Amino acid sequence: MSRVFILSPASCGGRRAQILFNDAARFDLAREVRTPTGAPLGEVFSFLSGLYFRGKLAYAREFANPPRGCDGVQVITPSRGLLNPDLHVTIDVLHEFAGVPIDLDEPRYFDPFESDAQKLAKRVGDSCEVVLLGSVATDKYVAILSHAFGERLRFPAEFVGRGDMSRGGLLLRCIDDARELTYVPVEGAIRHGARPPRLEKRSPR
């Protein structure tokens, strides 16, 4: 079955964002986002979010099976809808992201996201699963995606009850083990649950 992954965004207002936004920053990524061509969105969000986004991106790239002519990995953004993680963004775009709350009542977030979700739903067709790698505990992503994809929208059952760091580690382990998670429909699913046992320690990746 064809499958497309949608990744929830990294926070552009946290501590790591302030490091990146600091004009005195001289590390490679900070310099790259200040060039006219910018840096890949996936790389930037991996820096901002750390293990969680890095795990989501690596997992989605490993297991995506998109229909012909469609990107297998899409990233939710605060103000520009769904973007390919390889698209380059500049520091000005990141400042724009930081100024827009992820809130269904915020049209700068809602309108482009809803528009792109509807376009993607038509592009992938009725036989393609769409898997959200992100929180389903609130409606900030689910409401828009469920309206666009209906019963085609899935999420990993193993995410329920886990924190962000645990999810990121789990996703990277799945790549190492060549094992996919269990995707279940969002509609009617248990979206809150008890915290599962901690992952067993493995050597750092």
Side-chain angles (χ1 to χ4, degrees):
M1 173 178 288
S2 59
R3 182 173 293 115
V4 168
F5 290 93
I6 294 180
L7 280 54
S8 59
S11 171
C12 294
R15 181 181 61 83
R16 293 181 68 85
Q18 297 310 308
I19 295 172
L20 187 61
F21 291 164
N22 188 337
D23 289 335
R26 291 292 180 267
F27 56 95
D28 289 347
L29 184 63
R31 290 198 298 265
E32 194 174 355
V33 296
R34 286 169 170 78
T35 65
T37 54
L41 175 65
E43 185 177 338
V44 173
F45 274 12
S46 292
F47 172 81
L48 297 179
S49 180
L51 178 63
Y52 185 31
F53 194 89
R54 181 164 63 89
K56 289 189 294 186
L57 182 57
Y59 181 94
R61 283 175 164 162
E62 180 73 15
F63 295 114
N65 182 33
R68 184 185 300 273
C70 181
D71 295 330
V73 185
Q74 310 272 341
V75 180
I76 300 168
T77 65
S79 61
R80 301 202 177 190
L82 296 171
L83 296 180
N84 186 303
D86 295 325
L87 182 75
H88 283 220
V89 293
T90 64
I91 193 69
D92 290 339
V93 173
L94 296 175
H95 279 297
E96 174 191 309
F97 287 170
V100 178
I102 304 294
D103 189 316
L104 294 175
D105 292 328
E106 171 55 71
R108 292 174 296 172
Y109 166 67
F110 183 92
D111 292 347
F113 183 13
E114 182 189 43
S115 176
D116 283 355
Q118 293 292 339
K119 291 175 184 176
L120 181 62
K122 293 178 181 179
R123 194 178 308 127
V124 300
D126 294 336
S127 61
C128 178
E129 283 188 343
V130 177
V131 179
L132 171 62
L133 296 183
S135 174
V136 297
T138 70
D139 284 336
K140 59 185 178 181
Y141 314 128
V142 170
I144 294 172
L145 295 175
S146 291
H147 183 253
F149 299 104
E151 63 182 15
R152 287 175 290 169
L153 182 64
R154 305 285 201 269
F155 77 103
E158 294 86 347
F159 271 20
V160 174
R162 291 190 184 275
D164 289 352
M165 293 292 287
S166 179
R167 291 176 180 179
L170 176 63
L171 291 165
L172 293 175
R173 290 186 182 202
C174 286
I175 297 171
D176 290 341
D177 297 340
R179 172 181 63 88
E180 289 193 68
L181 296 171
T182 305
Y183 311 126
V184 296
V186 172
E187 289 186 359
I190 297 175
R191 294 161 59 180
H192 305 266
R195 185 179 296 274
R198 288 187 176 184
L199 298 172
E200 295 181 3
K201 290 186 177 181
R202 287 188 182 180
S203 300
R205 222 168 169 270

